[in-house]
Amino acid sequence: MLSHSAHMIALGFGSGLSKIMPGTFGTLFGWLSFHVLTLRWPEVFSTTNWWIIIVAGFFVGVWACDKTGRDLGVADHGSMVWDEVIAIWLVMLFITPADLWTQFYAFLIFRFFDMVKPPPINYFDRRFKGGMGVMFDDIVAAFFTLLVFAIWRTI
């Protein structure tokens, strides 16, 4: 992880090194970091700045996951969790302000879509390769999570 900055990012600053469910731990890291940073420094981690961070983080993630995947010899290695971090930040940005239970439900729904990869998420997972492939299917999973929330809030 420490041999290159891309590895540090792709592995979610170590959260992807969990022996069990690294994607879940990466998502937890993303949720916790969003929550802590927003509460601790709200003037820095404003909605506008979160948008900039997420968009920049996506493109940095494409590079980092591509480099790390090539170095590991596995294009979408399970320890690469930056895609989960960026995707859960996006989900949290859209549902905030929300209580912790609502955030927890968002976490669970996102993990469902990310793990099961129902259509069309599985299409994008198969179609795009390299760093873009790693990152993009999680953005689609985040979109479906937000779609569930939009439907849920209108009922």
Side-chain angles (χ1 to χ4, degrees), residues 4 6 14 28 31 39 56-57 72 92 108 110 115 118 120 131 133 139 141 149:
H4 196 280
L28 282 171
W31 177 21
L39 285 178
L72 291 173
M92 291 299 145
L108 290 178
F110 171 73
M115 291 185 324
I139 297 300
F149 266 81

Side-chain angles (χ1 to χ4, degrees), residues 91-129:
V91 169
M92 291 299 145
L93 182 62
F94 271 94
I95 68 165
T96 301
D99 62 32
L100 285 176
W101 278 110
T102 302
Q103 292 178 32
F104 178 68
Y105 294 137
F107 166 83
L108 290 178
I109 294 166
F110 171 73
R111 287 306 300 146
F112 168 79
F113 283 120
D114 188 36
M115 291 185 324
V116 175
K117 295 190 189 318
I121 299 168
N122 61 3
Y123 169 81
F124 292 110
D125 187 46
R126 288 189 319 266
R127 179 119 166 104
F128 294 112
K129 300 298 176 200

Side-chain angles (χ1 to χ4, degrees), residues 53-74:
I53 292 165
I54 290 167
V55 170
F58 177 84
F59 289 107
V60 168
V62 169
W63 163 76
C65 291
D66 189 64
K67 166 80 173 134
T68 303
R70 281 187 281 115
D71 289 353
L72 291 173
V74 180

